[in-house]
């Protein structure tokens, strides 16, 4: 990866959620997880679009499976994070920490 | 209780727009969420959220891309269609030629006629305020008689303008031969040589303003406002004053030097679609009074009146209001004069307003001198053109379906590899549109090449409107329309083949629709026969007109025109002419029994009964002593007029019809009166002096000595020599005025130019129709022969004669022709009866007409069909059987 890729805030959130949900990451479960952990009601369509975009970029991979009755017998598309995705998340986390290190120490008690 | 489902409509919508690859998972997610919402919020909110989600998904990335679905292979298939179509055309050259050339002929005919119809329909609509300009029409409508005419007394125009505020402006026109109106010898005052000119009219200054004629020189505000001013058109200005501004210059008419005409302005030539196009010289009516008191008298109606209405005035309402002018002024005048008609006029006569744009096509029932046409002609031309196009389209359909068997394998194979029926229909329509496109191109070239011929037939001067805004789009639309029209049936028919049947070879060769093809051939030939019958009838009627006993002899009569300028030298001129040995007699008169000469209608009564009886309308003609001899007219009772008798200045010759209408059983010596009293000295045999569409009307002759026309009866066929001698004498008398003459039989013939034109149109189109129909017949017979070539060969081998084989192949087609004949004859008979009803004197429609028409069609079609048949019958059987 010669070029550095940047992710948007929402993309990073989704990518992280897929990492967290591990084997159970699909459209609806991600929406619910975001609501649960961040108290943020995101739209299903936004999630889907972002998932496909991330898949296209190579940070996610998907597989079909797990048809249930509630879905009218339709299969789910499960997403898993790829190694590239994990590496990117790691890199982004490190970069942020580095930035925090050089930030002036704020004295909250003053 | 039923379980709520996600809203169906939105689900459908989603399925419609969403990419196929994403559909299942997203829809699954949506439904899952729906049921969760159902548990937590209830059905109504769950549905709303589902709908809202569907709408939110309608965004790039989810929507199926238009490009990707269409990418399919349409363009490639289209290329394939074009390729296959062109291969087919090349392979079946004969049929392709027939289809294309037939259509090209049809399209050329259609195109020419469209040009004609457009010109006819756009007559007199170009004036800046055309919708406000109307012509004033008299209408008389009693229970027995009715009529419309355009001439009004002189003051009507100005009175209308004063009395009715709805009228903005009124202007008068005199378009007849009247005083200086009509034709004159013309010269510049500074030249001696005269030229003969036609197209003189009298007009008001206000008429120029009403029509907003564009000026080349001078001002439209005062071009005709001075007495003795004249306005000429650009083409005449260029003739008499090349390269200069002629305003203020002077013209002399007919050598009347004490009345010079001063040019007040030059106007643009009237366009060909104006009824004023024939007129080039506009003489002012300002200060004009043709006789004492003329301008203020109700006696004589000589003026056409044009009115410019205020905007948004309803002409119908205004016309009814105008009646007051008649009841308040005209009727009192008639009553004062003791006229019998006063009561009738008050009751039955009124005004009508005719929009100027209706003048050309809708003046059929209006008595008027202006050259007009008839909407019926437009319909006639238009419908014939459509029929010819239809015949050509039928060729296309017939040949396509007949040759369909050859395409069946292709259709079958295409279906096997996955073509839907719609694709095949598309393919065949593409083919037919390609063929139509080629035909349209050829048709345009053909129309262009024959335009001058068509102009001759139709009496027009049309040009190809290459640059008109409608030309390209119109032709494109025509291409698509004709392509679809003629391609649709074959396309549906061909695409219906079942692949299984075709590949098993179960398909009977093109026989399935032979009955329909037969019907179409019958339609083609019925149309052709009707057109042939029509042309024969029109030609026979024309022939009848030209050879009818007229009561005078029109052959070998030369008419020298413009002889009024001879003045006192007339008699010596006549005497000189009599010295030419070939000249039988020489007369002089303004009144001749052909059109373009003077007419004078008067009311006559038996002496003393003018206040008691209804008058008999009759012509009163002034003629000289040699008139009857020159015209070949016969006295049936009494004697000729004798100008040398002083008493004969009040003597009169009447025709038989007049004697009858006046109720004179023994007319000789009886006295009759108009405003003077006359003594009848002789009765002349009835002769036709109007077109023979109408019967002969009453006519009287009195002694006259002068006139415009010198008719000369010549006894020889050696015209050239005689003409030279006459010319020589004329030049001696009138060195500054070129001789102008015509022949009476030519003028007579020109009176029936419209009949001749109708005949030409029918002939031209019946030739086209029969050519197109025969082309189709030829194609079908060639196809039939091709199909049966093996059968023919076997028959030959078994000993069939040439005759038998030709019979076998032609009988079918001849049956179709016979059926067409039986259908066409009654229709043709009915239509031509309608046409002939216009003529008082007409031919009987005997069986000869139909015999000729039938014979023509049978011979032509037999020749067409037998050509291929004989060729097939002569072929060596071995050559077609060898391949087996």
């Amino acid at each position: 990866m010669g070029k550095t890729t940047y992710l948007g805030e929402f993309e990073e959130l989704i990518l992280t959620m897929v990492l967290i949900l591990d084997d159970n990451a699909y459209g609806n479960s991600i929406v619910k997880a975001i609501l649960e952990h961040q108290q943020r009601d995101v739209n299903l369509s936004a999630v889907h679009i972002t998932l496909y975009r991330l898949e296209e970029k190579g940070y996610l991979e998907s597989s079909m499976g797990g048809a249930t009755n509630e879905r009218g017998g339709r299969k789910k598309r499960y997403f898993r994070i790829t190694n590239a995705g994990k590496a990117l998340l790691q890199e982004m986390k490190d970069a942020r920490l580095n930035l925090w290190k050089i930030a002036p120490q704020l004295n909250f008690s003053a | 209780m039923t379980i709520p489902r996600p809203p169906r409509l939105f689900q459908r919508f989603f399925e419609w727009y969403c990419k196929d690859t994403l559909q299942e998972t997203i829809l699954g997610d949506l439904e899952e969420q729906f049921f969760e919402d159902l548990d937590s919020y209830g059905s109504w909110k769950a549905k709303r959220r589902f709908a809202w989600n569907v709408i939110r998904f309608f965004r790039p990335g989810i929507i199926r891309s238009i490009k990707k679905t269409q990418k399919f292979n349409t363009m490639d298939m289209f290329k394939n269609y074009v390729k296959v179509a062109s291969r087919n055309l090349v392979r079946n050259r004969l049929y392709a030629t027939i289809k294309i050339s037939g259509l090209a002929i049809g399209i050329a005919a259609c195109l020419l006629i469209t040009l004609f119809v457009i010109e006819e329909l756009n007559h007199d609509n170009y004036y800046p305020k055309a919708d406000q300009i109307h012509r004033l029409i008299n209408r008389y409508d009693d229970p027995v008689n009715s009529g419309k005419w355009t001439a009004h007394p002189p003051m009507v125009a100005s009175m209308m303008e004063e009395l009715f505020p709805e009228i903005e402006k009124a202007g008068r026109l005199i378009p007849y031969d009247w005083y200086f109106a009509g034709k004159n010898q013309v010269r510049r005052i500074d030249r001696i040589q005269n030229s003969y000119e036609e197209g003189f009219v009298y007009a008001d200054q206000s008429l120029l303003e009403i029509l907003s004629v564009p000026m080349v020189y001078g001002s439209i505000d005062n071009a005709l406002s001075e007495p003795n001013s004249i306005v000429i058109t650009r083409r005449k200005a260029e003739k008499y004053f090349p390269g200069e501004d002629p305003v203020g210059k002077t013209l002399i008419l007919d050598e009347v030097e004490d009345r010079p005409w001063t040019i007040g302005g030059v106007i643009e030539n009237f366009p060909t679609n104006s009824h004023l196009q024939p007129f080039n010289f506009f003489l002012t009516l300002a200060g004009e009074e043709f006789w004492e008191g003329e301008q203020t008298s109700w006696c004589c109606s000589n003026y056409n009146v044009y009115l410019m209405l205020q905007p948004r005035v309803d002409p119908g309402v205004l016309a009814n209001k105008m009646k007051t002018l008649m009841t308040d002024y005209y009727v009192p005048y008639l009553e004062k004069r003791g006229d019998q008609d006063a009561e009738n006029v008050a009751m039955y006569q009124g005004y009508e307003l005719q929009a100027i744009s209706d003048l050309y096509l809708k003046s059929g029932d209006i008595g008027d001198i202006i050259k007009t046409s008839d909407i019926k002609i437009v319909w006639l031309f238009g419908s014939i053109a459509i029929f010819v196009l239809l015949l050509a389209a039928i060729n296309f359909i017939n040949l396509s379906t007949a040759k369909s068997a050859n395409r069946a394998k292709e259709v079958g194979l295409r279906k096997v590899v996955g073509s839907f029926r719609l694709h095949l229909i598309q393919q065949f329509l593409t083919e037919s549109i390609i063929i139509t496109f080629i035909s349209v191109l050829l048709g345009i070239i053909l129309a262009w090449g024959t335009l001058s011929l068509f102009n001759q037939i139709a009496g027009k001067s049309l040009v190809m409107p290459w640059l008109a805004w409608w030309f390209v789009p119109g032709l494109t639309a025509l291409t698509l329309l004709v392509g679809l029209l003629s391609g649709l049936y074959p396309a549906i028919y061909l695409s219906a083949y079942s692949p299984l049947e075709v590949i098993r070879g179960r398909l009977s060769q093109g026989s399935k629709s032979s009955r329909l093809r037969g019907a179409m051939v019958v339609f083609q030939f019925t149309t052709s026969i009707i057109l042939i019958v029509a042309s024969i009838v029109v030609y026979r009627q024309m022939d009848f007109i030209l050879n009818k006993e007229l009561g005078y002899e029109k052959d070998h009569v030369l008419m020298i025109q413009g002889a009024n300028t001879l003045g006192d030298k007339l008699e010596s001129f006549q005497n000189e002419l009599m010295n030419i040995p070939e000249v039988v007699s020489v007369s002089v008169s303004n009144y001749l029994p052909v059109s373009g000469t003077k007419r004078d209608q008067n009311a006559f009564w038996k002496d003393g009964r003018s206040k008691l009886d209804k008058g008999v309308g009759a012509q009163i003609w002034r003629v000289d002593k040699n008139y009857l001899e020159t015209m070949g007219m016969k006295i049936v009772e009494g004697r000729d007029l004798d100008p040398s008798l002083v008493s004969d200045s009040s003597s009169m010759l009447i025709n038989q019809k007049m004697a009858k209408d006046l109720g004179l059983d023994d007319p000789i010596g009886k006295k009759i009166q108009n405003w003077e009293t006359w003594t009848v000295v002789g009765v002349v045999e009835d002769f036709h002096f109007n077109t023979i569409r109408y019967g002969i009307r009453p006519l009287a002759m009195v002694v006259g000595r002068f006139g415009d026309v010198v008719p000369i009866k010549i006894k020889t066929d050696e015209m050239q020599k005689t003409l030279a001698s006459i010319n020589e004498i004329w030049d001696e008398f009138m060195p500054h005025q070129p001789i102008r003459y015509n022949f009476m039989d030519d003028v007579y013939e020109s009176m029936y130019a419209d009949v001749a034109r109708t005949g030409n149109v029918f002939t031209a189109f019946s030739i086209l129709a029969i050519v197109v129909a025969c082309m189709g017949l030829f194609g079908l017979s060639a196809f039939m022969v091709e199909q049966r070539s093996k059968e023919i060969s076997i028959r030959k081998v078994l000993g069939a004669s040439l005759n038998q084989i030709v019979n076998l192949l032609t009988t079918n087609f001849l049956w179709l022709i016979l059926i067409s004949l039986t259908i066409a004859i009654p229709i043709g008979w009915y239509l031509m009866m309608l046409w002939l009803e216009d003529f008082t004197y007409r031919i009987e429609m005997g069986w000869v007409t139909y015999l000729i028409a039938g014979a023509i069609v049978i011979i032509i079609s037999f020749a067409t069909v037998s050509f291929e048949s004989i060729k097939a019958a002569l072929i060596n059987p071995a050559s077609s059987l060898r391949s087996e």
Side-chain angles (χ1 to χ4, degrees):
Chain A
M1 247 209 270
K3 212 164 75 177
T4 326
T5 322
Y6 299 99
L7 286 186
E9 181 269 341
F10 195 70
E11 283 176 319
E12 190 188 345
L13 174 67
I14 299 291
L15 195 57
T16 319
M17 280 302 162
V18 173
L19 183 71
I20 293 167
L21 286 169
D22 194 18
D23 271 350
N24 191 33
Y26 69 97
N28 263 0
S29 65
I30 295 171
V31 173
K32 267 185 271 176
I34 294 175
L35 187 64
E36 191 182 326
H37 298 296
Q38 298 224 315
Q39 289 76 49
R40 185 171 161 189
D41 192 2
V42 296
N43 190 276
L44 186 63
S45 68
V47 172
H48 269 273
I49 295 279
T50 314
L51 285 171
Y52 302 136
R53 199 184 303 142
L54 290 171
E55 188 179 14
E56 217 164 89
K57 289 179 179 173
Y59 303 127
L60 289 178
E61 57 192 12
S62 68
S63 59
M64 303 292 283
T68 61
N69 243 357
E70 297 88 70
R71 309 173 52 90
R74 293 186 186 86
K75 287 178 187 158
K76 298 170 185 166
R77 184 180 291 271
Y78 285 116
F79 290 86
R80 288 177 65 86
I81 192 157
T82 60
N83 289 337
K86 280 180 193 156
L88 182 68
L89 276 183
Q90 190 65 49
E91 203 178 297
M92 286 175 77
K93 190 185 144 204
D94 293 348
R96 198 160 307 149
L97 283 177
N98 285 337
L99 287 176
W100 275 107
K101 276 177 199 158
I102 59 168
Q105 295 300 307
L106 294 172
N107 189 349
F108 292 103
S109 54
Chain B
M1 201 185 104
T2 53
I3 307 159
R5 297 284 311 156
R8 192 89 197 112
L9 183 71
F10 284 92
Q11 194 177 333
R12 277 264 187 88
F13 174 56
F14 179 78
E15 282 165 354
W16 174 72
Y17 74 70
C18 179
K19 275 179 191 166
D20 293 335
T21 47
L22 301 180
Q23 225 174 72
E24 184 169 358
T25 41
I26 298 179
L27 207 54
D29 280 4
L30 281 172
E31 200 162 309
E32 194 180 316
Q33 197 173 45
F34 173 79
F35 285 112
E36 274 166 31
D37 288 343
L38 197 64
D39 290 342
S40 35
Y41 305 112
S43 120
W44 193 78
K45 191 164 182 192
K47 279 185 183 167
R48 208 186 54 180
R49 279 174 66 114
F50 183 92
W52 180 233
N53 267 325
V54 166
I55 293 166
R56 290 287 294 265
F57 265 109
F58 191 77
R59 55 190 281 179
I62 303 292
I63 298 174
R64 63 171 88 225
S65 109
I66 298 168
K67 228 188 220 157
K68 267 182 189 154
T69 46
Q70 292 272 315
K71 194 194 158 209
F72 230 6
N73 53 6
T74 320
M75 222 28 231
D76 300 323
M77 283 312 286
F78 185 72
K79 274 183 206 156
N80 176 266
Y81 296 158
V82 174
K83 186 184 271 179
V84 171
S86 57
R87 281 179 187 164
N88 260 310
L89 286 182
V90 175
R91 191 175 309 141
N92 297 311
R93 276 190 201 89
L94 174 71
Y95 302 99
T97 314
I98 292 174
K99 281 183 191 174
I100 292 176
S101 50
L103 267 186
I105 291 175
I107 284 164
C110 237
L111 191 61
L112 288 177
I113 291 200
T114 309
L115 296 185
F116 171 83
V117 169
I118 287 175
E119 162 126 345
E120 294 288 277
L121 292 182
N122 284 308
H123 251 268
D124 288 302
N125 62 355
Y126 67 92
Y127 309 102
K129 288 180 181 171
D131 53 331
Q132 283 165 253
I133 305 174
H134 291 258
R135 196 163 67 144
L136 188 65
I137 309 284
N138 288 301
R139 188 195 58 227
Y140 183 85
D141 219 348
D142 75 16
V144 187
N145 298 307
S146 65
K148 292 182 187 180
W149 67 101
T150 58
H152 301 271
M155 330 69 85
V156 166
S158 53
M159 289 178 79
M160 288 271 179
E161 207 176 328
E162 269 166 41
L163 288 172
F164 304 106
E166 293 93 332
I167 296 170
E168 201 176 304
K169 223 173 259 178
R172 298 171 298 171
L173 178 80
I174 303 182
Y176 335 100
D177 285 14
W178 213 57
Y179 294 84
F180 284 106
K183 34 211 168 189
N184 292 298
Q185 300 292 336
V186 185
R187 64 178 172 87
R188 288 170 63 157
I189 198 161
D190 50 349
R191 305 281 153 90
I192 16 174
Q193 191 66 29
N194 272 308
S195 313
Y196 166 72
E197 292 285 359
E198 294 178 353
F200 286 81
V201 291
Y202 282 102
D204 274 327
Q205 158 67 24
S206 52
L207 185 68
L208 299 181
E209 293 163 18
I210 289 173
L211 300 174
S212 324
V213 287
M215 302 295 293
V216 182
Y217 294 111
S219 158
I220 192 166
D221 301 325
N222 56 17
L224 283 181
S225 47
E226 291 303 311
N228 294 332
S229 55
I230 180 173
V231 159
I232 60 179
T233 55
R234 179 197 278 273
R235 73 173 79 86
K236 294 305 170 191
E238 279 162 6
K239 177 173 173 188
Y240 290 97
F241 304 93
E244 42 183 324
D245 175 356
V247 174
K249 302 269 169 59
T250 309
L251 291 177
I252 298 294
L253 304 188
D254 272 354
E255 291 296 326
V256 185
E257 287 189 338
D258 52 0
R259 187 157 183 203
W261 294 85
T262 310
I263 294 175
V266 176
I267 55 174
E268 203 48 77
N269 300 330
F270 281 98
T272 47
N273 63 348
S274 167
H275 70 286
L276 297 171
Q277 203 269 338
F279 305 131
N280 286 311
F281 299 88
F282 292 76
L283 309 166
T284 189
L285 280 167
E288 194 74 58
E289 189 154 54
F290 294 101
W291 58 81
E292 214 188 315
E294 187 257 353
Q295 284 294 315
T296 46
S297 165
W298 284 95
C299 81
C300 312
S301 301
N302 290 305
Y303 296 82
N304 281 1
V305 175
Y306 293 75
L307 301 173
M308 160 87 88
L309 307 187
Q310 299 284 3
R312 288 178 297 283
V313 170
D314 183 333
V317 175
L318 178 59
N320 287 336
K321 237 175 111 180
M322 285 171 167
K323 170 93 186 181
T324 54
L325 188 134
M326 206 162 270
T327 45
D328 292 356
Y329 297 92
Y330 186 43
V331 174
Y333 162 80
L334 290 174
E335 279 167 351
K336 204 170 126 204
R337 214 178 63 171
D339 196 302
Q340 286 294 301
D341 285 337
E343 203 179 319
N344 281 342
V345 167
M347 205 137 56
Y348 300 118
Q349 193 167 326
Y351 290 113
E352 246 176 44
L353 288 172
Q354 180 189 36
I356 195 161
S357 52
D358 287 344
L359 196 151
Y360 184 67
L361 286 179
K362 295 182 186 158
S363 293
D365 55 343
I366 299 173
D368 183 14
I369 193 99
I370 302 264
K371 180 175 170 265
T372 58
S373 182
D374 194 339
I375 192 89
K376 274 195 266 179
I377 299 277
V378 176
W379 282 112
L380 181 74
F381 270 53
S383 49
I384 291 178
I386 287 171
F387 267 97
V388 173
L389 190 60
L390 216 55
L391 297 193
I394 285 177
N395 275 353
F396 188 98
I397 295 170
N398 272 354
L399 291 178
S400 301
T401 54
K403 293 289 286 178
S404 62
N406 305 25
R407 302 294 296 275
K409 286 219 172 87
E410 183 193 338
V411 170
L413 198 61
R414 276 181 189 270
K415 280 193 172 174
V416 168
V417 297
S419 261
F420 289 112
R421 190 164 179 194
L422 198 64
H423 296 137
L424 288 162
I425 291 179
Q426 264 171 26
Q427 180 196 347
F428 289 117
L429 284 183
T430 312
E431 257 190 67
S432 74
I433 288 173
I434 291 171
I435 292 177
T436 317
F437 179 70
I438 301 173
S439 312
V440 167
L441 288 186
L442 283 176
I444 294 172
I445 296 171
L446 197 63
W448 190 35
T450 51
L451 188 61
S452 60
L453 184 72
F454 178 78
N455 275 337
Q456 235 171 15
I457 292 174
K460 285 270 154 189
S461 48
L462 304 169
V463 287
M464 280 305 256
W466 300 112
L467 296 174
W469 63 269
W470 54 266
F471 192 67
V472 173
L475 286 173
T476 314
L478 183 76
T479 310
L480 293 180
L481 188 76
V482 175
L484 289 180
L485 191 82
S486 51
L488 199 61
Y489 177 72
I492 289 170
Y493 178 82
L494 282 169
S495 61
Y497 285 136
S498 133
L500 202 62
E501 296 281 297
V502 170
I503 289 167
R504 278 159 121 192
R506 279 255 185 96
L507 204 73
S508 57
Q509 299 270 289
S511 65
K512 203 163 142 196
S513 63
S514 68
R515 190 164 290 176
L516 184 78
R517 277 201 293 281
M520 294 213 197
V521 170
V522 167
F523 175 76
Q524 285 183 315
F525 276 87
T526 306
T527 312
S528 309
I529 295 165
I530 291 173
L531 283 171
I532 293 174
V533 167
S535 359
I536 296 174
V537 170
V538 175
Y539 272 118
R540 283 187 50 210
Q541 174 69 16
M542 187 68 193
D543 191 56
F544 170 80
I545 290 170
L546 292 184
N547 295 315
K548 188 176 175 350
E549 275 300 321
L550 296 167
Y552 66 94
E553 283 163 27
K554 63 185 188 309
D555 299 321
H556 299 307
V557 178
L558 181 79
M559 304 190 294
I560 296 183
Q561 304 280 347
N564 49 329
T565 45
L566 281 165
D568 297 338
K569 295 182 280 185
L570 175 70
E571 199 165 339
S572 45
F573 176 66
Q574 284 175 309
N575 291 337
E576 282 287 322
L577 287 176
M578 284 305 290
N579 290 338
I580 304 173
E582 286 82 8
V583 169
V584 179
S585 71
V586 180
S587 173
V588 66
S589 180
N590 281 328
Y591 305 86
L592 292 158
V594 288
S595 68
T597 59
K598 211 169 167 180
R599 295 288 179 266
D600 193 350
Q601 186 84 8
N602 280 250
F604 283 91
W605 293 268
K606 279 197 256 190
D607 192 24
R609 298 192 59 86
S610 68
K611 299 279 189 298
L612 304 167
D613 297 340
K614 219 172 167 225
V616 171
Q619 294 288 313
I620 175 161
W621 287 15
R622 301 192 169 273
V623 302
D624 81 337
K625 61 176 186 286
N626 296 320
Y627 189 80
L628 293 189
E629 189 191 354
T630 312
M631 292 294 132
M633 293 165 184
K634 289 180 208 70
I635 298 271
V636 287
E637 253 181 281
R639 59 170 179 88
D640 194 358
L641 296 168
D642 185 354
S644 58
L645 291 176
V646 180
S647 61
D648 262 11
S649 61
S650 62
S651 296
M652 186 172 253
L653 271 178
I654 61 175
N655 71 354
Q656 292 167 306
K657 171 74 176 160
M658 184 161 176
K660 194 173 152 231
D661 282 11
L662 281 172
L664 299 173
D665 294 331
D666 177 25
I668 306 301
K670 295 276 160 51
K671 289 197 185 307
I672 57 178
Q673 67 167 104
N674 51 350
W675 58 79
E676 322 170 39
T677 308
W678 306 85
T679 311
V680 177
V681 294
V683 176
V684 66
E685 191 187 58
D686 280 346
F687 60 91
H688 289 276
F689 56 90
N690 280 324
T691 107
I692 65 167
R693 280 207 169 80
Y694 314 114
I696 295 172
R697 302 210 178 123
L699 180 137
M701 291 175 176
V702 297
V703 170
R705 285 170 214 279
F706 298 102
D708 290 337
V709 187
V710 173
I712 307 167
K713 177 82 179 176
I714 297 163
K715 66 179 160 209
T716 171
D717 278 329
E718 254 183 78
M719 267 313 165
Q720 285 311 317
K721 212 183 91 198
T722 320
L723 275 178
S725 334
I726 292 172
N727 204 348
E728 216 168 274
I729 296 171
W730 174 268
D731 281 346
E732 257 167 53
F733 278 81
M734 301 300 289
H736 302 307
Q737 180 182 334
I739 190 169
R740 194 165 55 80
Y741 60 84
N742 43 20
F743 289 97
M744 202 165 191
D745 48 352
D746 292 346
V747 178
Y748 178 79
E749 204 174 319
S750 72
M751 288 163 70
Y752 302 95
D754 60 325
V755 180
R757 187 185 307 153
T758 313
N760 289 341
V761 169
F762 276 128
T763 315
F765 283 106
S766 53
I767 289 172
L768 281 188
I770 195 94
V771 164
V772 169
C774 279
M775 275 162 58
L777 200 61
F778 180 77
L780 282 184
S781 66
F783 167 74
M784 185 66 75
V785 167
E786 202 179 294
Q787 291 298 313
R788 298 174 76 172
S789 64
K790 289 204 175 104
E791 180 196 335
I792 294 165
S793 300
I794 291 170
R795 280 177 191 271
K796 268 193 89 171
V797 169
L798 294 178
S801 70
L802 177 74
N803 244 342
Q804 284 168 323
I805 289 174
V806 171
N807 273 347
L808 178 79
L809 292 170
T810 50
T811 345
N812 269 343
F813 291 114
L814 287 183
W815 267 115
L816 295 180
I817 308 299
L818 287 179
I819 294 171
S820 314
L821 263 176
T822 46
I823 299 175
I825 284 174
I827 300 177
W829 179 82
Y830 175 72
L831 292 177
M832 292 328 284
M833 277 301 282
L834 289 185
W835 184 74
L836 282 175
E837 264 175 12
D838 273 359
F839 294 87
T840 310
Y841 300 88
R842 55 178 177 244
I843 52 162
E844 288 298 313
M845 278 214 295
W847 48 272
V848 184
T849 306
Y850 304 107
L851 201 70
I852 298 171
I856 291 176
V857 171
I858 288 174
I859 290 169
I860 292 179
S861 53
F862 185 77
T864 311
V865 174
S866 58
F867 181 76
E868 281 291 312
S869 313
I870 291 173
K871 217 167 86 183
L874 288 176
I875 213 163
N876 182 354
S879 60
S880 71
L881 290 175
R882 184 165 48 195
S883 61
E884 203 70 2

